[in-house]
Amino acid sequence: MAIQFPPAEAGPSTPLMGRTPAYKLSHSLAGHARSVTALQFSPDGRTLVSAGINDISISPDGLYVATASDDTTTVIHTLYPSSSTTATSGSSTSVPTPLRLLAAHTAPVLAVSFSPKSNLLATGSFDESAIVWDVRRGKALRTIPAHADAIWTVGWDPEGVMVVTGSADGLIRLWDANSGQCLKTLDNDTNSPVSYAAFTPSSFFLLSSTLSSALRVYNIHTGKVLKTLRHAGYVSERHPCPAAVFAAPEPASLSGLGPVLDGNTEAAQHANADGEGTAEKDEDKANDTPMDVDAEVNAEVKVDVRVDVDVDVNGAAVAKREAWVVSGSENGKVVIWELGSRRVIQVLEGTGTEAHQRPVVALAVHPDGRSIATGSLEPEKVIHIWRDVQT
């Protein structure tokens, strides 16, 4: 049975294509002395890394974490440092010893991203350039004068041959990682600063957010916007709010709920701008069921998904699932859309002291999709963990 996305012009009246989520605030994590501005789960879902700096990236092989900082450098650490890779500071605190210090930008580094093979690293800076680095040698392979304003986001296509950059100049550009040639330039109708841009698991589509309270899905070959996501509860006009596209998690009755993140944190995995960090472990392994976003686009700009099953690494058939998009908001809310129908399917907000009162500027989705971590600006210094309790 084939699953079909509605036409690109479909809107809030379009029926939902899958189940609705039921995320609830599970618990909060404290430990930072300042705002939590970057979050990421490890690929196996066992560890959550948090930081009070511009950006972090965990390598897909789960071995390293890279940081982007105002001091113009990018630092690469071992994700799980051993006693031989740590040093003791004057306060008797173990500080991980950096594996690589990458210094070539002339202004704060705002974005960092490992390539799919973990051998390359892309960075974007306030100096308007992007740099592709050789991780093993710690050398800059290519410096790209990419934009006319600060680069707020960088990323890779699933094959690791293209780098995407998004800038305050309102443009998204795709680059050949080897030659540095610009392959495509994408704009938005409001010319608003681009705060986030990333490929979906299909290399044909790109998800972006701008400081116009809108998220867009592009076809990278035609350059056309296929879908625009907006909602009264979603506000992003002054602060870059993070976004992510992920596969709808299986209901607990089908997949087994697995252990819930219990809030126990380990020592910092890397040095942050405020000298702190946290890492949380979850023994639940990542669910690799593929996302239902691969598509073909015809002349009428309709997106048709032709496959509803796939095969996992063991050769077993697995059902594909709907694609959901989640984004933080300046009003402290977290909004989730069903991508196919463009319908908002849940708004995450706590009550009283449990609610984010400030802009949500950090967000991470667990690999199995059943947990979402969020962080916001000061005076809040906590991470909220939201758990899908759908049965």
Side-chain angles (χ1 to χ4, degrees), residues 195-196 209 211 234-236 239-243 327-330 359-361:
S195 56
Y196 172 83
S209 62
L211 296 191
Y234 171 64
V235 182
S236 180
H239 300 279
C241 293
S327 181
S329 175
E330 289 178 5
V360 177
V361 295

Side-chain angles (χ1 to χ4, degrees), residues 184-197:
K184 182 77 69 172
T185 298
L186 309 173
D187 59 10
N188 62 84
D189 54 5
T190 60
N191 199 36
S192 303
V194 178
S195 56
Y196 172 83

Side-chain angles (χ1 to χ4, degrees), residues 36-343:
V36 179
T37 54
L39 291 164
Q40 189 174 354
F41 282 101
S42 61
D44 63 6
R46 297 177 57 208
T47 301
L48 173 65
V49 177
S50 63
I53 54 177
N54 295 329
D55 197 15
I56 58 176
S57 179
I58 298 177
S59 60
D61 60 15
L63 298 178
Y64 309 107
V65 58
T67 63
S69 175
D70 281 346
D71 66 5
T72 76
T73 68
T74 293
V75 179
I76 300 176
H77 288 276
T78 300
L79 182 58
Y80 303 108
S82 62
S83 58
S84 61
T85 59
T86 60
T88 302
S89 67
S91 60
S92 300
T93 301
S94 295
V95 178
T97 303
L99 295 177
R100 297 285 185 272
L101 176 65
L102 310 180
H105 285 291
T106 59
V109 182
L110 304 180
V112 61
S113 180
F114 275 101
S115 67
K117 293 182 179 179
S118 304
N119 61 323
L120 301 176
L121 189 76
T123 55
S125 170
F126 198 81
D127 65 14
E128 305 173 5
S129 73
I131 299 179
V132 177
W133 302 84
D134 182 312
V135 173
R136 183 177 63 83
R137 295 188 299 159
K139 301 293 185 181
L141 297 179
R142 187 169 301 278
T143 299
I144 304 171
H147 290 272
D149 209 331
I151 297 175
W152 284 357
T153 181
V154 296
W156 295 81
D157 74 315
E159 286 75 37
V161 297
M162 286 188 291
V163 174
V164 58
T165 58
S167 170
D169 64 9
L171 300 177
I172 299 169
R173 289 198 167 115
L174 305 179
W175 307 88
D176 184 304
N178 291 320
S179 68
Q181 178 183 0
C182 183
L183 304 175
K184 182 77 69 172
T185 298
L186 309 173
D187 59 10
N188 62 84
D189 54 5
T190 60
N191 199 36
S192 303
V194 178
S195 56
Y196 172 83
F199 283 93
T200 68
S202 166
S203 57
F204 296 108
F205 305 105
L206 195 74
L207 173 69
S208 77
S209 62
T210 60
L211 296 191
S212 59
S213 300
L215 293 96
R216 296 172 177 86
V217 178
Y218 292 86
N219 180 313
I220 67 168
H221 297 295
T222 65
K224 292 183 178 180
V225 175
L226 301 180
K227 296 179 184 293
T228 301
L229 307 179
R230 291 188 174 92
H231 185 256
Y234 171 64
V235 182
S236 180
E237 297 179 349
R238 298 181 57 191
H239 300 279
C241 293
V245 58
F246 65 106
E250 294 179 353
S253 59
L254 297 179
S255 61
L257 193 57
V260 177
L261 299 173
D262 60 12
N264 293 325
T265 58
E266 296 182 340
Q269 297 298 323
H270 61 281
N272 298 334
D274 58 6
E276 59 171 345
T278 59
E280 180 180 355
K281 284 195 173 183
D282 180 359
E283 297 303 324
D284 192 15
K285 293 291 185 178
N287 189 325
D288 293 327
T289 305
M291 187 188 308
D292 201 358
V293 294
D294 294 315
E296 299 174 355
V297 182
N298 62 22
E300 282 95 19
V301 197
K302 293 182 179 180
V303 184
D304 297 329
V305 176
R306 300 298 183 184
V307 184
D308 63 347
V309 294
D310 209 333
V311 177
D312 65 13
V313 293
N314 298 316
V318 289
K320 286 202 171 184
R321 298 174 286 171
E322 299 301 328
W324 290 352
V325 173
V326 59
S327 181
S329 175
E330 289 178 5
N331 55 15
K333 299 178 180 179
V334 179
V335 183
I336 304 175
W337 289 265
E338 184 185 70
L339 182 56
S341 65
R342 300 196 309 173
R343 295 278 302 273

